[in-house]
Amino acid sequence: MAFQKAVKGTALIGGGAIATVFGLSQFSQYRNKHGALVQVQAAEAVPARKEHLPSREQQLQALQSSGEFDVLVIGGGATGCGCALDAATRGLKTALLERDDFSSGTSSRSTKLIHGGVRYLQKAIMKLDFEQYRMVKEALEERAHLLQSAPHLSAPLPIMLPIYKWWQLPYYWVGIKLYDLVAGSQCLKSSYVLTKSRALELFPMLRRDKLVGAIVYYDGGCPVCLLCAPRGWNW
């Protein structure tokens, strides 16, 4: 009983709520065992579809008249909406609060990349941080799962890194190759080096005077990202 009271009304901040998914899982199992799981249907949680969407005032009134919630998610960005969906599908009575419009903040300005975190791999190597390495490894596995399960939403995306100093060419090339190596069999496509002339052909807006070349590596991207790829790109 004490555990239930402690968890009831817990607020999940959208920007950092991923770490709470495990806690939601444990809470769901606890309530299942004690037969007190509240079954919430989507039709009950969302007002019936009408010709016009309910106003913000109507939605606030609906929240105030719904009684207690098991989970309150603050922030309707990509992470917050995902956590609210996860909680609702586990049978938890869930409320989601957003100050502006859904995904109007950071989510609307992000790169939409599905990546393993190549810069975290750099930290893992430079600081000999095994936890950073594990995070990159896990993220690359998740990238592979998403590309396989949702090909309509994601696809391999080439990313070009322009190089303006000669010493940076071998430095970044080794780092990107290690990124491919960590991905292992789940590597999307092997990274490679572009000459200065080829890089300027694809991206003529680059600074020409000190450009040495470029390195291309692959991560996952959404269909919108793929529309931005230059014509003649070597897939």
Side-chain angles (χ1 to χ4, degrees):
M1 198 64 186
F3 176 79
Q4 187 174 355
K5 290 182 178 179
V7 177
K8 203 109 176 175
T10 298
L12 306 181
I13 306 303
I18 292 179
T20 66
V21 171
F22 178 75
L24 290 177
S25 177
Q26 297 300 312
F27 180 35
S28 178
Q29 293 177 12
Y30 176 85
R31 297 194 63 181
N32 271 316
K33 290 179 180 178
H34 291 76
L37 182 62
V38 178
Q39 299 296 332
V40 179
Q41 302 297 329
E44 298 174 0
V46 180
R49 185 173 181 181
K50 303 177 182 179
E51 293 183 1
H52 301 285
L53 292 174
S55 66
R56 188 173 184 86
E57 289 72 19
Q58 292 173 327
Q59 294 181 34
L60 289 174
Q61 290 177 3
L63 284 173
Q64 293 171 356
S65 61
S66 298
E68 271 190 331
F69 291 93
D70 297 317
V71 177
L72 173 64
V73 182
I74 302 176
T79 303
C81 289
C83 289
L85 175 63
D86 181 84
T89 53
R90 295 174 189 270
L92 303 175
K93 191 175 181 182
T94 306
L96 173 63
L97 301 180
E98 168 56 44
R99 182 179 61 179
D100 296 313
D101 196 5
F102 296 106
S103 299
S104 62
T106 306
S107 299
S108 67
R109 296 169 177 80
S110 67
T111 61
K112 307 300 185 295
L113 286 177
I114 305 161
H115 63 94
V118 65
R119 65 190 182 95
Y120 299 112
L121 181 61
Q122 181 186 24
K123 291 182 180 179
I125 296 173
M126 294 298 185
K127 298 182 179 180
L128 299 178
D129 191 335
F130 185 68
E131 290 301 319
Q132 292 278 352
Y133 168 80
R134 289 180 59 185
M135 182 179 66
V136 174
K137 184 69 175 177
E138 181 179 0
L140 287 171
E141 292 175 355
E142 291 296 326
R143 181 189 73 178
H145 294 326
L146 185 55
L147 290 170
Q148 182 178 6
S149 61
H152 60 295
L153 297 176
S154 55
L157 176 71
I159 301 173
M160 192 188 77
L161 177 65
I163 305 297
Y164 289 96
K165 296 181 180 179
W166 282 105
W167 67 265
Q168 291 179 338
L169 190 60
Y171 174 78
Y172 286 117
W173 182 83
V174 170
I176 295 299
K177 281 300 179 182
L178 286 174
Y179 190 56
D180 292 346
L181 183 63
V182 173
S185 61
Q186 297 171 336
C187 178
L188 300 179
K189 292 186 179 182
S190 181
S191 57
Y192 56 91
V193 176
L194 285 178
T195 62
K196 176 180 178 179
S197 59
R198 180 59 176 160
L200 289 173
E201 181 182 345
L202 292 170
F203 292 92
M205 74 290 296
L206 291 174
R207 290 171 45 197
R208 296 170 175 265
D209 51 352
K210 296 182 180 181
L211 185 67
V212 174
I215 296 175
V216 177
Y217 71 98
Y218 287 80
D219 257 325
C222 70
V224 176
C225 296
L226 303 178
L227 293 176
C228 299
R231 297 179 60 184
W233 189 264
N234 180 18
W235 288 92

